[in-house]
Amino acid sequence: MRTTVISGSATFGALAALITLAAPPALQPPFPVLFYLKFDVAEVLDLSSFMIFGPSAGLLTAGIHALILGSVGGSAGAGPFGASLKFLGVLTTYVGLLIASRFGRRGLVGTGLKMTLSSLGTRVSLMTVANYLYIVFLAQVVFGMNYLDYPQFILSQAGINLTGAGLIEYVLALTAVYNAVHVVFSVLVSLLVVNTLLTRAPNLLQTGAWITRLLSPAVK
């Protein structure tokens, strides 16, 4: 990667981590019921880096974002456990963006639709598998914690008393809904931000953005 790309993606990653850690609750609203799941506007920076600089730079941005969060103790979203899941969420969204890039150029609406649907499919499916592995193995072995203790307590406070396989299925289902809503927001907002940069300030992207291979010439 060129120096400008590396510095740009690193800046995006550091800024994304700062937003995750310092943004007010209004910018990180909790998901209903499982309120430890938060909608993080900082993902827009992760995806914007991918769309502007390309997959390798996007991976660097997400890695720096997660590394900073992982070094900070705290609740979900900070510390190694939350940071690892956040990184996987972004990574599985990237997979969807890469798949969408295989289907040729479209206008802004068409590009947004194919990117959203593709990322929706990859993030929800792959993160459901990842969360299941965290529940049954990784959380306890790698991070020394029981993944289900806190969601079980939260659900019980809402009058939902589940154990065993029923609890696992319920948590996975709610988390899948959370990921679905999050990815739709993150992809569409990122695309609008990057497209605005392309149309209003094209000189900022002197070498051309990765997203231009998906957008028809009229949209650039």
Side-chain angles (χ1 to χ4, degrees):
M1 289 187 289
R2 291 183 293 273
T3 303
T4 53
V5 173
I6 294 175
S7 60
S9 56
T11 300
F12 272 53
L15 183 57
L18 178 63
I19 291 174
T20 298
L21 294 170
L27 293 179
Q28 298 187 77
F31 180 71
V33 185
L34 297 182
F35 55 79
Y36 61 87
L37 297 174
K38 296 181 180 180
F39 295 103
D40 187 5
V41 71
E43 275 196 21
V44 170
L45 288 171
D46 292 323
L47 301 190
S48 294
S49 176
F50 184 104
M51 294 178 189
I52 294 171
F53 302 116
S56 297
L59 185 61
L60 177 60
T61 296
I64 291 173
H65 186 180
L67 183 63
I68 294 174
L69 295 184
S71 66
V72 178
S75 58
F81 179 76
S84 65
L85 283 171
K86 186 176 292 293
F87 177 73
L88 289 175
V90 173
L91 201 63
T92 54
T93 304
Y94 285 173
V95 173
L97 298 182
L98 282 173
I99 293 174
S101 70
R102 304 292 184 181
F103 293 95
R105 292 184 172 187
R106 298 287 188 277
L108 182 62
V109 174
T111 297
L113 181 61
K114 69 178 181 179
M115 290 172 66
T116 300
L117 291 177
S118 181
S119 297
L120 180 65
T122 56
R123 178 158 176 166
V124 170
S125 59
L126 295 176
M127 284 306 296
T128 298
V129 174
N131 276 295
Y132 177 77
L133 293 176
Y134 267 70
I135 288 173
V136 301
F137 176 71
L138 292 175
Q140 190 165 22
V141 173
V142 178
F143 299 101
M145 61 182 294
N146 190 322
Y147 187 109
L148 291 176
D149 279 350
Y150 192 45
Q152 185 177 33
F153 171 75
I154 293 174
L155 291 173
S156 68
Q157 296 302 299
I160 304 171
N161 297 297
L162 296 168
T163 59
L167 176 61
I168 293 175
E169 291 171 0
Y170 203 87
V171 171
L172 289 177
L174 288 178
T175 306
V177 174
Y178 158 79
N179 277 309
V181 175
H182 205 321
V183 76
V184 171
F185 168 81
S186 296
V187 170
L188 292 180
V189 173
S190 300
L191 179 60
L192 290 175
V193 168
V194 173
N195 185 64
T196 299
L197 287 175
L198 287 172
T199 55
R200 300 291 180 85
N203 291 334
L204 292 177
L205 305 174
Q206 296 177 1
T207 59
W210 178 87
I211 192 66
T212 57
R213 69 185 64 188
L214 279 74
L215 293 170
S216 61
V219 182
K220 293 182 189 178

